[in-house]
Amino acid sequence: MPLTVPHGAIRRLMAGIKGFRARYYEKYPESMRMLVEQGQKPEVLLIGCSDSRVDPALITQAEPGELFVVRNVANLVPPYQPDGHYHGTSAAIEYAVRVLEVGHVVVLGHAQCGGIRGLIGMQSGEQPPGDFIAPWVSIAQEACERFLTPANGEDTQSERDASAAWLQASPHLVERAAVRGSVENLMTFPFIRDRVEAGTLHLHGWWFDLETGDLWVIDPHTAAFVPVFD
């Protein structure tokens, strides 16, 4: 007798899995059979945000086996820190690069990121709820500092508050700077730096505009974000 699920949201997810099974296991089973028998061999590691609106597989229309994905709040990459503690994002990066030997790593940021908004709010003394969010998003603190610290190095709280208020209205600046910072943090991993310098691994920084569907990427020559589509 089929299981009765009273929750509508869970029923929809199960229906989605049923549809996935019908397509990839019943109608076109060859690809899944190959992935089971030969294992996964993705070419791309994509580091995305946990935000429900920017699922990497959906927005890239990737097929099963194409992407190795790690998602976290604000799509952040911490610096290399092998201290014996729990490092889920770093473990996923290490597995993708060392074991799966991906050729590309993409950091995918996006507009309207709640984690980045929380980080901006922290500059004015606001604190995100809970125990883990604030320490985590502080990885991108430098992304805020470049917009908060005056060129002369002299800083007052009132000036920082004014700058933080300005950033609240222009969060895309910090969102993109955080992507750039995560790409820079990737280079602190020795096994990534070695492969990048050898030309066997390529790093990419992307920013997806949730309002328009446009994609902006870091130009490798200028380090500036440029639009991909006309």
Side-chain angles (χ1 to χ4, degrees):
M1 184 175 181
L3 175 68
T4 300
V5 180
H7 306 290
I10 301 301
R11 285 202 303 272
R12 286 193 294 274
L13 294 180
M14 290 182 172
I17 293 175
K18 184 177 181 180
F20 180 89
R21 185 185 67 175
R23 177 179 179 182
Y24 288 101
Y25 287 84
E26 298 172 7
K27 190 174 183 180
Y28 302 107
E30 297 82 8
S31 61
M32 295 307 298
R33 184 181 302 117
M34 182 177 66
L35 288 172
V36 170
E37 294 175 353
Q38 300 181 14
Q40 61 172 327
K41 297 178 182 178
E43 295 184 30
V44 179
L45 161 63
L46 193 148
I47 302 167
C49 184
S50 299
D51 194 304
S52 62
R53 301 167 293 179
V54 285
D55 185 293
L58 286 176
I59 65 175
T60 63
Q61 298 188 37
E63 291 291 312
E66 283 193 82
L67 296 177
F68 189 86
V69 178
V70 57
R71 301 176 69 178
N72 60 47
V73 173
N75 44 267
L76 297 177
V77 175
Y80 179 70
Q81 193 175 15
D83 54 12
H85 294 158
Y86 304 117
H87 295 285
T89 295
S90 297
I93 291 170
E94 182 173 49
Y95 187 81
V97 174
R98 281 184 153 171
V99 179
L100 298 178
E101 298 182 329
V102 297
H104 301 270
V105 180
V106 176
V107 178
L108 174 62
H110 67 96
Q112 306 298 324
C113 179
I116 296 299
R117 286 189 178 276
L119 175 65
I120 296 172
M122 287 166 57
Q123 311 313 306
S124 300
E126 300 176 13
Q127 286 297 311
D131 302 319
F132 303 106
I133 298 174
W136 175 255
V137 297
S138 68
I139 292 172
Q141 178 62 33
E142 187 176 337
C144 277
E145 290 297 334
R146 66 183 61 192
F147 300 108
L148 297 175
T149 303
N152 60 14
E154 297 179 2
D155 196 8
T156 66
Q157 188 59 49
S158 61
E159 290 173 329
R160 288 181 68 84
D161 289 346
S163 297
W166 172 71
L167 283 179
Q168 290 281 11
S170 306
H172 69 281
L173 296 174
V174 181
E175 291 162 353
R176 296 180 185 179
V179 169
R180 188 178 290 107
S182 285
V183 172
E184 292 170 356
N185 281 347
L186 283 169
M187 288 294 286
T188 67
F189 289 72
F191 55 85
I192 288 181
R193 184 178 62 250
D194 291 346
R195 287 166 171 79
V196 169
E197 293 175 351
T200 59
L201 181 65
H202 305 277
L203 308 184
H204 310 268
W206 294 1
W207 180 83
F208 179 73
D209 192 332
L210 192 61
E211 297 180 11
T212 65
D214 290 325
L215 179 67
W216 294 65
V217 303
I218 296 177
D219 186 317
H221 303 293
T222 66
F225 273 90
V226 295
V228 173
F229 313 126
D230 295 331

